[in-house]
Amino acid sequence: MSSTQVSLRSRPEWRWGIATGFIGALAGAAVGVKGVFSSGSSTAAIGLLFVPVDAAIAAAVAALWGAALAHAVLRLRGAQSGQPALLAAAIAVAVALPAWLGYETWRGLALERAVREVGAMDAHRLDEAFERSAFNRDAIFLGAIAQSPAAGAMLLDRIAGLPDPALFEPMGSFWNVMGENRKGIAVMRLVARHRNASGATLGKLAAHPQAEKLLYEILSNPNARPAVLERYYDSTNYIVEWGLALNPRIPRYVMERLSKSANLFTRINLTYNRSTPADILQRLANDPDTTLASSAHVALKRLNVTR
């Protein structure tokens, strides 16, 4: 070991950095684990593989902060000497991390409060929140609006017209802001599945370059216009089939094709569709798959009651 390394390790900054780095590693790991277990995604457990990476990054940042804080404290006490520029840099680093953590904490708590308020809003107040809230372009906040049953067709259309590509991506947060959307479904998917989304809005989303990410929601929404649905009647893409099978407006011949699909979940979805004819349900009730057969029997009983 060189004399330089011995000299470095003997400095107080080294000891402070090791201590804060260890604390940072624990905090980073805890945050990573919390994120995994607070997610409702079926693939969330994969995130456990990245917990060591989160811990390592947090450790490095915390160690740098601890060393900078130690240097600033010792210099200001007169226990050490050195260049003014190094002191200025140490103070900047020592202040930056607490300031960032403080800001993120304040913002996270404010976002939690704003999302809770959205849940109690009527259509008019939702419109106002979209216009005036400090979070009105935040994906989490927009997702809360798009989950509200009170969101009107015009408001949903305005959200659908926002140009931010992040609104097509899954979302998540350390804070308690996801509501019922524990799987972090993207904002535009929430819009596309909303019962108040108009045919025009769904058509706008279907024409978007990232429309493939929304096909299940668009095609399963009964408000989708025939011109949108018809493009996919012959598709064998499983996502397309799943969506079409749930839509009560698809014609019988499409239901016939879907009832013979090789995809089990396509056939199961037909049993959830209240427009599926009795003869198709009867055929599905005789399927070798017991889950499908049972679901078809339930649908037949429902049919007898409602018709």
Side-chain angles (χ1 to χ4, degrees):
M1 185 179 295
S2 68
S3 58
T4 301
Q5 290 175 311
V6 172
S7 175
L8 179 62
R9 293 192 176 189
S10 66
R11 293 178 64 89
E13 292 95 328
W14 173 265
R15 295 193 296 274
W16 283 47
I18 291 295
T20 55
F22 179 73
I23 295 171
L26 293 177
V31 169
V33 171
K34 181 185 183 299
V36 170
F37 286 100
S38 64
S39 172
S41 172
S42 59
T43 59
I46 296 175
L48 291 173
L49 298 175
F50 296 94
V51 169
V53 177
D54 296 335
I57 293 173
V61 172
L64 176 62
W65 174 79
L69 178 63
H71 185 79
V73 169
L74 293 172
R75 286 285 300 276
L76 292 174
R77 287 180 175 178
Q80 283 188 2
S81 60
Q83 297 180 353
L86 184 58
L87 173 61
I91 293 174
V93 172
V95 170
L97 182 59
W100 175 77
L101 289 174
Y103 170 76
E104 288 298 322
T105 300
W106 168 83
R107 189 181 187 282
L109 294 174
L111 183 57
E112 283 188 354
R113 186 165 53 251
V115 166
R116 283 196 302 270
E117 291 171 352
V118 164
M121 290 180 180
D122 58 18
H124 177 68
R125 291 179 63 200
L126 286 173
D127 289 339
E128 289 186 339
F130 179 78
E131 288 287 346
R132 301 175 185 175
S133 171
F135 299 102
N136 66 349
R137 291 303 177 266
D138 181 275
I140 300 290
F141 186 76
L142 291 171
I145 292 177
Q147 289 180 80
S148 172
M154 291 185 63
L155 176 56
L156 293 169
D157 189 70
R158 294 179 70 187
I159 295 175
L162 294 175
D164 186 357
L167 301 182
F168 287 83
E169 302 299 330
M171 52 185 173
S173 176
F174 172 82
W175 301 99
N176 183 24
V177 292
M178 301 305 293
E180 296 299 319
N181 185 21
R182 291 191 64 241
K183 293 187 177 181
I185 294 172
V187 172
M188 293 305 184
R189 288 183 63 191
L190 293 171
V191 171
R193 66 165 52 179
H194 201 289
R195 67 186 182 186
N196 293 336
S198 69
T201 297
L202 295 172
K204 178 190 297 184
L205 292 173
H208 194 276
Q210 297 195 62
E212 286 188 4
K213 298 177 180 179
L214 317 175
L215 285 180
Y216 174 78
E217 287 77 16
I218 292 172
L219 299 177
S220 62
N221 194 317
N223 297 332
R225 292 173 174 173
V228 172
L229 298 175
E230 288 167 2
R231 300 176 207 162
Y232 301 95
Y233 281 167
D234 297 324
S235 175
T236 56
N237 179 290
Y238 73 97
I239 294 294
V240 168
E241 287 191 348
W242 290 358
L244 288 175
L246 292 169
N247 196 309
R249 297 182 63 184
I250 63 172
R252 179 187 173 91
Y253 80 90
V254 178
M255 289 187 178
E256 286 280 0
R257 181 182 74 79
L258 296 176
S259 71
K260 300 170 184 175
S261 170
N263 190 286
L264 173 63
F265 294 102
T266 296
R267 306 199 305 277
I268 289 177
N269 278 2
L270 276 176
T271 68
Y272 302 145
N273 189 333
R274 290 182 175 268
S275 295
T276 302
D279 59 315
I280 293 179
L281 289 173
Q282 187 62 61
R283 187 165 67 247
L284 295 174
N286 295 322
D287 195 276
D289 185 272
T290 56
T291 301
L292 172 57
S294 175
S295 185
H297 279 297
V298 171
L300 283 168
K301 289 180 181 179
R302 181 182 66 230
L303 201 65
N304 290 336
V305 171
T306 58
R307 294 185 184 180

